[in-house]
Amino acid sequence: MRGSAAIKAIATVAGLALLAAVAHADEAEVLSAIRAKALFFEDFNDGTWSERWRHSSDPKYTGRFGTHKAKEWTNQGLRIPDKSKHYGLSALLPAPVEPVVGPGQPLVVQYEVKYNEGIQCGGSYLKLLSADPDLTPERLVDSTPYSIMFGPDRCGAGKVHLIFRHKHAKNGTVSEKHLVGPPQPEVNDYTHLYTLKITPDHQYEIRIDGDLRASGSLLNESALAPPLLPPADVPDPEDVKPADWVDLSVIPDPKAVKPADWDEREKIEDPDAKKPKGWMDNEPKTINDPAARRPADWDDEEDGVWEPPQIPNPKCKKAGCGPWQRPLKANPAYKGAWKAPLIDNPDYKGPWVQRRIPNPHHYEDPAPLSSGVAPIGGVALELWTTDSGYMFDNVLITRDPATAELALERLWRPRYDAEKKAFEKGLKEAEEREKERKKADKEKARREKKARRKADRRGSEALDQLVDWILALFDKGGKLEFAAPYARPLTEWLRDNPDGIVLLLGVTPLMLLTFLTLYRTFGPSSRDKDGEGQRSRAALAAAKRTDAPVPDQEDEPEQEEAAGQEDEEAEEVPDAVPLEGAEVEPEPAAKEAAVKEPEIEKQEEEEEEEPTKGARRRTRRAA
């Protein structure tokens, strides 16, 4: 243990010295330092990468990788260009690499992944292919043996794979050992760095962007499924729990009785509910659709008896149909489902445990990775994705953790920082654009509001001028001064409510139309007709009493009054028989008729001229 600790300390010091030596070196020097300590390194930054990497010639792998410079990157990286294709690309290592070799010689696998166009479902992991004399990149398929598989896989929840392909030392079977509880991958569009470290004492670490996400001992039975080494004992398959084994520690009290007043009804009928007025108990809720017609090609033998489809009964819309039932309401006395209280089970025997027996496949192996995991002979990207734009870069296999740390600080971190800075800058610019947009919208709304106020002010001034002009017509010296007493309520209201001119202008045409209609119905022509009838009746009555000629129906209203007065006087004078030889006084009515006879003749002449005058008056009114 002391020797191992000393080796670790020496390695740490050496790593710090390496970092210090290249702290101020340029990128070329950094790459040179990384290659010097790497068992395998690829940055895809020149055209020679295709000489080291080969696509699979299997017809399944139709996808072809290419190189591309992602945004915020300063050099090229490997890129998946097309969606929904299988990709197979691999490169051989200069020499086979053992998973673990000895103290101070861990295995470090590290590479960068970027989802340049997002990710929905797809793998972005590495397969460290098992060394074999027959291993060739062109013959890569999904069943090509690998020693370790490591990296993110995203379909559904996703996980970072760590799988060992291990060979059993006793029976020679090969099985995959999967990490239990793997960490979740990063799925944003930043470039992320995935690092796997396996030490000679079978400890493992998984880091993402330098942060530890998972660690532990691979020899722990719960670390991998199935375990890296078979357990010493296993459950006895012949040991079965007895049928009468009681493993319930408590049971319901068999003597418990539900109380008589315990109410388990959650809902009860509402006693206050009343049947709606108009409810039709004998009316069905649905009826045959009267618009339905039996199809012409319907065959009763093959299709059965045709029945029209049902529709809601329209009679039920008003109140309801069918047997009426009271609605349910929450039961205020509800106590829930009754359960008997629990008591200790007198027959309890405790939990049953299956007997274990020695595992016939168990064996001891102090270094199962060295003995059971084949050496690494190549690196492969054997993937299928529904997406495009996955980027891979700076694939590194080394035994020097300091070299991996150097790649993290000098290759990955500048990219990540640049992407983060660009994102934050873009976010800030977007926020500024949003602020400017809101400011512009606010300024636009302010200008529109100001314009509306100005327009309203101009309109208000115009209305005020119109109101002043209208009121001036009724003032002293105005053209409508004679009508001022009659229009005073309107003018006073208009002075107090100048905005009312809008309403006034709106209803004036309707008022004029109403006035014309009333004028035509009840105007002078209508009154003339009524006057003619009254004058005709008065003239006939006077003529009967005085034997005077009946005047034309065009008599003036004064004649109607005179006729009325004559009728009254005639009724007041009693009948008298004159004496013989006495001078007979003519009756007052006759005197008045004799006196007015010349006047009547004059009126008749005027009445003959009345139609002409009426025509002239109507002409003036029309004008």
Side-chain angles (χ1 to χ4, degrees):
M1 293 297 292
R2 289 180 181 179
S4 176
I7 293 173
K8 288 182 179 179
I10 294 172
T12 302
V13 172
L16 293 174
L18 177 63
L19 287 175
V22 296
H24 302 287
D26 59 16
E27 186 175 344
E29 293 175 341
V30 171
L31 292 174
S32 178
I34 292 173
R35 288 191 175 96
K37 292 288 186 176
L39 301 173
F40 179 87
F41 179 72
E42 182 62 71
D43 61 359
F44 304 102
N45 202 32
D46 55 40
T48 62
W49 72 271
S50 58
E51 298 175 4
R52 296 181 293 274
W53 295 76
R54 292 284 191 273
H55 286 96
S56 173
S57 59
D58 190 274
K60 172 183 176 180
Y61 301 95
T62 57
R64 289 292 181 267
F65 284 92
T67 54
H68 177 72
K69 183 185 290 186
K71 191 175 181 181
E72 312 305 335
W73 283 22
T74 58
N75 51 25
Q76 302 282 339
L78 194 68
R79 177 174 177 265
I80 288 179
D82 301 315
K83 297 181 178 181
S84 303
K85 287 187 176 182
H86 287 86
Y87 289 84
L89 183 72
S90 60
L92 298 178
L93 270 62
V97 174
E98 296 288 343
V100 287
V101 290
Q105 298 290 310
L107 178 69
V108 180
V109 180
Q110 181 173 279
Y111 70 108
E112 298 175 17
V113 178
K114 177 179 175 65
Y115 304 118
N116 202 37
E117 300 172 15
I119 179 170
Q120 295 295 325
C121 179
S124 48
Y125 44 80
L126 295 180
K127 281 186 175 181
L128 305 182
L129 303 178
S130 300
D132 189 288
D134 297 330
L135 178 63
T136 56
E138 290 82 3
R139 296 171 61 183
L140 176 70
V141 292
D142 56 356
S143 60
T144 299
Y146 66 88
S147 299
I148 302 173
M149 190 171 103
F150 168 67
D153 189 6
R154 170 63 187 270
C155 277
K159 59 184 174 181
V160 178
H161 286 294
L162 176 56
I163 307 173
F164 295 92
R165 194 167 178 272
H166 183 265
K167 183 178 180 180
H168 196 283
K170 276 192 170 183
N171 55 28
T173 58
V174 177
S175 60
E176 294 180 347
K177 315 289 186 177
H178 293 251
L179 180 66
V180 176
Q184 296 294 307
E186 297 290 340
V187 294
N188 54 46
D189 56 358
Y190 292 152
T191 300
H192 292 287
L193 186 72
Y194 289 86
T195 306
L196 169 66
K197 179 181 177 183
I198 303 173
T199 61
D201 56 355
H202 293 74
Q203 298 290 318
Y204 76 94
E205 292 180 357
I206 294 177
R207 295 179 181 269
I208 302 177
D209 300 342
D211 298 329
L212 185 64
R213 299 295 182 88
S215 63
S217 173
L218 296 173
L219 298 178
N220 191 322
E221 290 186 7
S222 61
L224 300 174
L228 192 59
L229 287 175
D233 52 46
V234 294
D236 184 0
E238 297 181 359
D239 186 22
V240 181
K241 183 172 76 171
D244 60 348
W245 189 274
V246 178
D247 52 10
L248 294 175
S249 60
V250 293
I251 58 172
D253 185 359
K255 297 180 180 180
V257 179
K258 182 173 70 173
D261 60 347
W262 192 278
D263 197 336
E264 294 183 324
R265 298 174 302 164
E266 186 175 357
K267 299 284 186 179
I268 60 172
E269 289 186 351
D270 186 358
D272 298 328
K274 295 182 180 180
K275 183 191 295 186
K277 188 176 180 180
W279 186 280
M280 294 179 285
D281 297 272
N282 298 324
E283 193 71 32
K285 293 183 179 180
T286 60
I287 59 171
N288 294 338
D289 185 357
R293 297 291 182 271
R294 173 183 169 129
D297 57 349
W298 188 274
D299 190 330
D300 289 340
E301 293 183 359
E302 295 183 1
D303 304 325
V305 178
W306 183 81
E307 295 181 357
Q310 298 290 299
I311 62 171
N313 191 342
K315 296 180 181 180
C316 301
K317 289 183 178 181
K318 184 176 180 181
C321 296
W324 183 78
Q325 295 179 344
R326 295 182 183 276
L328 300 179
K329 70 171 188 176
N331 183 5
Y334 175 65
K335 294 184 178 181
W338 182 83
K339 295 180 180 179
L342 298 178
I343 62 172
D344 292 336
N345 188 355
D347 300 325
Y348 176 62
K349 294 183 179 181
W352 182 80
V353 179
Q354 189 175 22
R355 183 174 59 248
R356 298 183 70 84
I357 60 175
N359 184 1
H361 302 292
H362 172 70
Y363 66 93
E364 296 290 342
D365 188 349
L369 289 180
S370 299
S371 61
V373 178
I376 301 168
V379 180
L381 289 164
E382 195 271 317
L383 308 170
W384 178 86
T385 75
T386 62
D387 314 297
S388 61
Y390 294 8
M391 300 285 297
F392 304 88
D393 202 8
N394 296 326
V395 180
L396 172 66
I397 300 176
T398 183
R399 294 201 183 277
D400 183 16
T403 301
E405 185 70 17
L406 177 63
L408 181 150
E409 292 295 339
R410 297 302 303 274
L411 300 182
W412 168 79
R413 193 172 297 282
R415 280 181 175 174
Y416 180 81
D417 292 343
E419 291 170 343
K420 191 174 181 181
K421 184 177 180 180
F423 175 77
E424 292 174 351
K425 180 181 178 181
L427 186 63
K428 187 175 181 180
E429 290 175 351
E431 291 176 352
E432 291 296 329
R433 288 194 298 270
E434 182 66 15
K435 287 181 180 178
E436 291 296 327
R437 185 190 66 78
K438 290 182 178 179
K439 184 178 179 180
D441 291 346
K442 188 175 181 180
E443 180 63 21
K444 181 180 178 182
R446 188 189 66 78
R447 289 197 302 268
E448 291 177 351
K449 186 176 181 180
K450 184 178 179 180
R452 286 196 301 269
R453 283 182 187 162
K454 190 174 181 180
D456 293 344
R457 190 160 52 248
R458 287 198 301 267
S460 178
E461 292 173 356
L463 289 177
D464 291 343
Q465 293 175 1
L466 179 60
V467 170
D468 293 341
W469 178 79
I470 293 175
L471 294 176
L473 294 176
F474 295 93
D475 290 342
K476 188 174 182 179
K479 293 183 179 181
L480 299 178
E481 180 184 0
F482 67 92
Y486 307 103
R488 184 171 292 111
L490 177 61
T491 56
E492 290 179 354
W493 175 78
L494 202 54
R495 280 192 176 90
D496 296 335
N497 303 276
D499 293 341
I501 188 65
V502 178
L503 177 63
L504 187 62
L505 292 175
V507 301
T508 297
L510 181 61
M511 293 174 63
L512 289 175
L513 180 61
T514 304
F515 174 76
L516 291 174
T517 303
L518 295 174
Y519 184 81
R520 290 176 62 88
T521 305
F522 304 104
S525 59
S526 176
R527 290 198 303 271
D528 290 345
K529 292 179 181 179
D530 294 341
E532 289 173 3
Q534 294 175 359
R535 286 196 297 274
S536 299
R537 289 191 296 272
L540 287 173
K544 285 181 181 179
R545 289 192 296 270
T546 61
D547 294 330
V550 178
D552 293 336
Q553 294 181 356
E554 296 291 335
D555 289 342
E556 295 295 328
E558 290 81 1
Q559 292 179 339
E560 295 176 8
E561 291 184 17
Q565 292 175 2
E566 290 172 2
D567 292 340
E568 292 176 0
E569 291 175 359
E571 290 174 0
E572 292 174 359
V573 178
D575 294 339
V577 180
L579 296 176
E580 185 177 354
E583 189 175 352
V584 180
E585 285 281 329
E587 293 182 357
K591 288 181 179 181
E592 291 179 9
V595 172
K596 292 183 178 180
E597 185 172 355
E599 296 178 2
I600 293 173
E601 293 175 354
K602 183 178 180 180
Q603 290 173 0
E604 290 176 351
E605 292 174 357
E606 292 175 355
E607 289 170 355
E608 291 175 355
E609 296 176 359
E610 186 64 23
T612 306
K613 294 179 181 179
R616 286 199 297 273
R617 285 197 297 272
R618 286 191 294 274
T619 303
R620 285 197 297 272
R621 285 198 299 272

